[in-house]
Amino acid sequence: MYVRKNLRWEVVWQLTRRSLLVFLIYNTLICLLYGPLNVHVLDIPWQPVALLGTAVAFYIGFKSNGSYDRFWEGRQLWGSIVNTSRVWAIRSFDFVQMPADAASLGPVELAETHRRLLYRQVAWCNALRLHLRRQTAELWDAEVAPFLPADEAGTAKLLSNPPTHLLRRQSVELRELEQRGLLTEFRQVAMMQTIQDLLNAQGGCERIKNTPFPRQFAYFSFVFVWVFAAILPLGLVEEFDSRAALGQYHVWLMVPFSVLVSWVFNVIEVVGHTSENPFENDIYDVPMTSICRSIEIDIRELLQETELPPKLEAVHDVLY
């Protein structure tokens, strides 16, 4: 996620340099044909061009709103994951307790149980992030396995949906804790509700990831912008040429104005395109890595650990 208040010009240039160059060459060619070469058959009335521009503006505005909704929903889902992870940690501490008649269960074993439940939650957050970004194979051992028992980490890595398997393991352990008397039935139900909330958030993220933005909207938005950019100079060139009082070279002012209008329409279309898929590890996506690190720090602080990883900072104004 880009976090700087204003976009750097190099970022803007990287996004739009090719289209800007095409617009500049094309508009210069039209002006050259109309002016020095006197090919006036190119000019068309301005009114239909303006009407088309209005229609295209509405269409790409609709696409941009739809794309932003996908990004914002993804960010809301990860916000709910942060809160639900905290709820899971607090309930693990307060609900999983030694029964009065369990003299054989020491505080060390209880603390290890809390640690295992909370570490598995951290592993689930990282596993979900890697699952959404399709990075499980290359990053699992470094970012998920350290929070799990070795056998559990090896088994989950080979599955098609590791996050679901980890939540299943949480459910199995809750049942075992209830059978051992460390968790009452009522408290088990409450913790299972927390697992359900996590599954709902995971399902929402997978829905966004696996359902691409409707290609008919995305494709025709691109087509309409470029059609408008193609006919825009044909409608403007005669308008600028008719201002004879400003001199014979005034027609060349059509080039910068036409390029500017085309660039603005193209930027709106590009902005919508970059927001379509918020889980691609791009500079405009949901910063899942940073969110997972924040969850890890919160949970390990609750475990009273002192050797904590640092909070992730933006790299070149981008928070991943």
Side-chain angles (χ1 to χ4, degrees):
M1 181 175 68
Y2 195 88
V3 295
R4 191 170 183 264
K5 183 177 180 180
N6 300 313
L7 285 175
R8 295 186 184 275
W9 281 110
E10 54 264 30
V11 176
V12 178
W13 174 249
Q14 183 180 5
L15 278 175
T16 61
R17 58 186 177 185
R18 294 181 180 178
S19 57
L20 190 62
L21 183 60
V22 172
F23 295 149
L24 180 61
I25 294 175
Y26 175 73
N27 283 276
T28 302
L29 177 62
I30 293 297
C31 197
L32 179 65
L33 290 173
Y34 182 88
L37 299 182
N38 203 30
V39 185
H40 286 196
V41 72
L42 293 175
D43 65 291
I44 60 176
W46 165 246
Q47 288 77 10
V49 178
L51 183 62
L52 178 62
T54 303
V56 173
F58 276 110
Y59 192 91
I60 61 177
F62 169 77
K63 177 196 172 181
S64 296
N65 287 336
S67 298
Y68 181 77
D69 286 344
R70 288 168 61 88
F71 166 82
W72 184 238
E73 184 182 3
R75 183 60 186 87
Q76 287 179 312
L77 288 168
W78 272 91
S80 70
I81 289 173
V82 173
N83 293 335
T84 308
S85 297
R86 293 168 179 164
V87 170
W88 175 263
I90 293 173
R91 285 181 172 176
S92 296
F93 283 118
D94 293 344
F95 288 3
V96 181
Q97 295 293 336
M98 289 187 295
D101 57 349
S104 61
L105 182 65
V108 175
E109 184 180 352
L110 181 63
E112 180 60 29
T113 300
H114 290 158
R115 182 179 182 275
R116 187 167 57 252
L117 289 173
L118 270 59
Y119 265 39
R120 189 181 289 117
Q121 176 60 27
V122 176
W124 176 83
C125 294
N126 286 320
L128 178 60
R129 166 173 58 88
L130 299 183
H131 179 64
L132 293 173
R133 290 177 174 171
R134 304 293 190 259
Q135 296 176 325
T136 300
E138 59 265 31
L139 296 179
W140 177 274
D141 293 338
E143 302 193 17
V144 180
F147 299 100
L148 296 170
D151 57 339
E152 186 176 333
T155 301
K157 179 182 179 180
L158 302 177
L159 300 176
S160 60
N161 196 319
T164 301
H165 171 77
L166 295 181
L167 291 181
R168 170 58 177 160
R169 284 297 309 156
Q170 296 281 51
S171 176
V172 170
E173 181 148 3
L174 292 181
R175 186 182 70 244
E176 294 173 350
L177 292 173
E178 192 274 332
Q179 292 172 349
R180 295 170 56 192
L182 298 176
L183 190 64
T184 65
E185 183 177 355
F186 173 79
R187 291 176 174 180
Q188 180 191 7
V189 172
M191 295 191 73
M192 285 300 301
Q193 179 61 50
T194 306
I195 291 179
Q196 180 178 337
D197 293 340
L198 293 171
L199 281 170
N200 289 338
Q202 176 181 335
C205 292
E206 290 174 339
R207 169 173 47 80
I208 296 174
K209 176 68 177 183
N210 298 326
T211 306
F213 192 83
R215 300 324 301 162
Q216 63 273 26
F217 293 120
Y219 175 73
F220 282 111
S221 173
F222 173 82
V223 170
F224 291 162
V225 166
W226 282 87
V227 168
F228 174 70
I231 69 172
L232 177 64
L234 305 183
L236 285 179
V237 67
E238 196 275 333
E239 290 290 322
F240 279 90
D241 187 44
S242 64
R243 311 296 179 180
L246 298 177
Q248 59 176 326
Y249 299 108
H250 187 258
V251 66
W252 285 97
L253 286 177
M254 182 276 294
V255 175
F257 279 96
S258 182
V259 169
L260 177 62
V261 174
S262 300
W263 178 78
V264 169
F265 273 74
N266 183 68
V267 166
I268 298 174
E269 200 279 330
V270 169
V271 168
H273 176 72
T274 56
S275 304
E276 290 177 10
N277 301 305
F279 303 135
E280 297 296 320
N281 202 27
D282 199 359
I283 65 174
Y284 308 106
D285 291 349
V286 175
M288 295 188 291
T289 304
S290 176
I291 294 173
C292 288
R293 178 61 61 84
S294 297
I295 293 173
E296 178 186 348
I297 293 173
D298 286 347
I299 287 180
R300 294 179 68 176
E301 282 183 338
L302 290 172
L303 287 168
Q304 298 183 351
E305 296 185 10
T306 56
E307 296 183 2
L308 302 175
K311 182 179 179 181
L312 291 183
E313 302 293 339
V315 179
H316 301 300
D317 304 318
V318 179
L319 195 61
Y320 289 98

